[in-house]
Amino acid sequence: MIRKLISACMVALAACCFAGCDDDDAAHHITDLRLVRMVPSTGLSGEQVKILGTNFIPQVADNTVTINGKNARVLAAAKDELRILLPENEAGTYDVAVTSGDRTAEGLRFTYIRTTSHTYIVSTIAGTRSGHGLVDGVGTEAQIGLPRGISIAPDGSLYLTDSRNHAIRRLGTDMVMTTLYSGNTATLKSPWQGGFDSKGNYYVASKDCSSVVRIAPDGTTSVFASGIKAPMCVACDKDDNVYVAARDNKKIIKYTPSGQASDYAAFSDLAAGPNAIAFDSKGNLAVGFSSVRKVVMVTPSGERIDIAGCGERPGDAGYSDGEEGNPLAAIVGNVFGLAFDAADRLYIADASAHSIRILTPKDGDYTKGTLETVAGTGKAGYTDGLGLKAAFNNPYGVQPTPDGKTIYVADSSNELIRSISVK
């Protein structure tokens, strides 16, 4: 009996101890200051940001926030949220500290994005992320699958390559999307990028058919060239010669308007063949690659020069634009889209960096120009808005208007067509 009594007392005592510990832990947890995240996690000096967490004192005066040791102005306070005004800081990523009453918490970091030379606003103009069928319609009511290329037609409409649905689509100036050609995978399969000649003929790389398809202004379709290993992109010069980026041939093939072929440039010494090509007004041909991590240029005389990228992989800091006046110091990824505007600025769709970049030459010299990332966060995603806050997922095609005031993007993995307004 005595043993039973002692055992019962010990059990009761242990239960009390455990209960006491639990109460202490719970009380500590209830009053603990904790930081969860910042919304958004990137921004510019002077913008408003929310800090989400637990157990903030809900009076503004009782909270202090510092970023990189600089005080942020606290605009509003609630138990689970602070709203602040970002203090001045240079572009970079910095530690955040919050003091609420006599408690301080750290652990969050905030990234200040750099300012761009212009204001770039990204918006979605066609396609939907919820579907990728061959569905025509107005703007975001339409569907498109894996758009790879985008070109401006003579009438101002956009020609789009719908790789998933093996189709060529047209997005009119009224934002109505229609299907120009589809259904014959023996002729057009997995189309990549195309371009127009001076007569309005549209030439497009039919990658999985190893050919180039021509669509005449009246809609007549024919195979222009065949026997090409992984044709990725087509561009035309002022004389209506047709140039094809033959990736697995590791060369660019030139065709006369009548179809006579000759090798224009070879890249057998590089890690990969060409993905993208585009002519500037002087007849220089820009060339983009995967794995090479450079953009090169072939001059009319046949000289090959590097114009952007150092050839190195990105480190912890990610992709970079190099230095002003030295684009060869930049970190460049897999380039699938290139295009020039009337001022010979080169637009680069960098799929690895999930970004759109512009190389502006200095006095006609691209090697002494400046490379600038104007849209994209460097990570895959989907967000409209201010250029460096907007997110893309494998942008494969890029096409500016001649004046450079609008940039169209084939946002391939998001299966959308995006527009960048330049102000």
Side-chain angles (χ1 to χ4, degrees):
M1 182 65 129
I2 294 175
R3 284 183 180 176
K4 288 184 179 179
L5 213 52
I6 292 172
S7 296
C9 289
M10 290 181 67
V11 169
L13 183 61
C16 287
C17 288
F18 281 124
C21 290
D22 286 346
D23 287 344
D24 288 344
D25 286 347
H28 179 72
H29 178 71
I30 289 171
T31 60
D32 204 24
L33 181 65
R34 188 165 69 95
L35 307 183
V36 177
R37 62 192 174 102
M38 298 180 74
V39 181
S41 59
T42 64
L44 297 164
S45 301
E47 292 184 334
Q48 292 188 25
V49 171
K50 294 179 181 179
I51 301 176
L52 305 183
T54 58
N55 300 315
F56 299 124
I57 296 176
Q59 283 81 40
V60 167
D62 292 323
N63 296 279
T64 301
V65 178
T66 62
I67 302 177
N68 191 30
K70 298 182 179 180
N71 285 323
R73 181 183 172 188
V74 180
L75 301 174
K79 190 174 181 181
D80 58 357
E81 177 183 308
L82 299 178
R83 183 160 53 88
I84 66 169
L85 204 64
L86 293 172
E88 290 288 334
N89 271 307
E90 296 293 325
T93 301
Y94 304 106
D95 292 328
V96 178
V98 176
T99 298
S100 190
D102 59 357
R103 300 157 303 153
T104 297
E106 299 178 344
L108 295 182
R109 306 198 80 201
F110 186 83
T111 298
Y112 280 74
I113 60 177
R114 59 177 178 75
T115 56
T116 52
S117 56
H118 294 81
T119 300
Y120 298 87
I121 304 296
V122 179
S123 58
T124 300
I125 60 172
T128 171
R129 298 178 74 213
S130 61
H132 48 250
L134 195 65
V135 178
D136 291 338
V138 179
T140 53
E141 295 176 1
Q143 295 182 18
I144 188 168
L146 297 177
R148 306 293 198 194
I150 186 166
S151 303
I152 298 178
D155 65 358
S157 64
L158 300 176
Y159 275 42
L160 317 168
T161 58
D162 185 328
S163 185
R164 184 190 293 275
N165 296 303
H166 313 296
I168 304 300
R169 317 288 291 277
R170 178 185 181 273
L171 185 63
T173 55
D174 57 359
M175 291 296 109
V176 175
M177 185 180 290
T178 54
T179 300
L180 296 178
Y181 184 84
S182 70
N184 186 356
T185 54
T187 301
L188 186 72
K189 188 174 183 181
S190 188
W192 276 70
Q193 300 194 25
F196 287 89
D197 68 10
S198 66
K199 298 178 178 63
N201 294 299
Y202 177 68
Y203 296 85
V204 61
S206 180
K207 178 174 172 286
D208 287 359
C209 289
S210 304
S211 63
V212 172
V213 172
R214 176 171 58 195
I215 301 177
D218 65 1
T220 303
T221 303
S222 59
V223 175
F224 174 75
S226 59
I228 307 164
K229 292 183 179 180
M232 302 292 288
C233 184
V234 180
C236 299
D237 66 16
K238 294 178 179 178
D239 297 321
D240 288 342
N241 295 302
V242 179
Y243 298 75
V244 181
R247 188 192 65 191
D248 293 356
N249 291 117
K250 283 195 169 184
K251 63 184 177 182
I252 295 169
I253 304 171
K254 176 183 177 181
Y255 294 88
T256 65
S258 63
Q260 274 190 306
S262 60
D263 290 350
Y264 185 72
F267 304 97
S268 56
D269 58 314
L270 299 182
N275 287 332
I277 53 176
F279 279 104
D280 72 3
S281 66
K282 300 178 180 65
N284 297 300
L285 186 65
V287 187
F289 306 84
S290 297
S291 304
V292 175
R293 302 178 188 88
K294 293 180 182 181
V295 178
V296 308
M297 181 165 277
V298 180
T299 68
S301 64
E303 181 185 7
R304 192 179 89 190
I305 55 176
D306 296 341
I307 60 172
C310 62
E312 296 179 4
R313 294 178 179 272
D316 293 338
Y319 295 90
S320 74
D321 291 336
E323 307 156 2
E324 184 175 348
N326 184 16
L328 296 176
I331 303 293
V332 174
N334 295 336
V335 174
F336 286 96
L338 294 171
F340 287 94
D341 65 15
D344 281 343
R345 290 182 289 255
L346 176 60
Y347 295 73
I348 302 169
D350 191 328
S352 303
H354 305 286
S355 300
I356 303 302
R357 314 171 80 172
I358 301 176
L359 176 57
T360 303
K362 182 178 181 181
D363 300 325
D365 189 343
Y366 292 93
T367 66
K368 295 180 181 177
T370 298
L371 182 66
E372 180 182 26
T373 299
V374 299
T377 63
K379 297 180 180 179
Y382 170 67
T383 311
D384 283 337
L386 190 66
L388 296 181
K389 291 185 175 183
F392 300 88
N393 192 353
N394 291 320
Y396 276 2
V398 62
Q399 178 64 66
T401 53
D403 61 6
K405 295 297 185 183
T406 304
I407 308 165
Y408 297 105
V409 180
D411 190 0
S412 190
S413 293
N414 278 326
E415 301 191 302
L416 301 172
I417 303 302
R418 317 284 290 278
S419 172
I420 306 174
S421 299
V422 185
K423 299 178 180 179

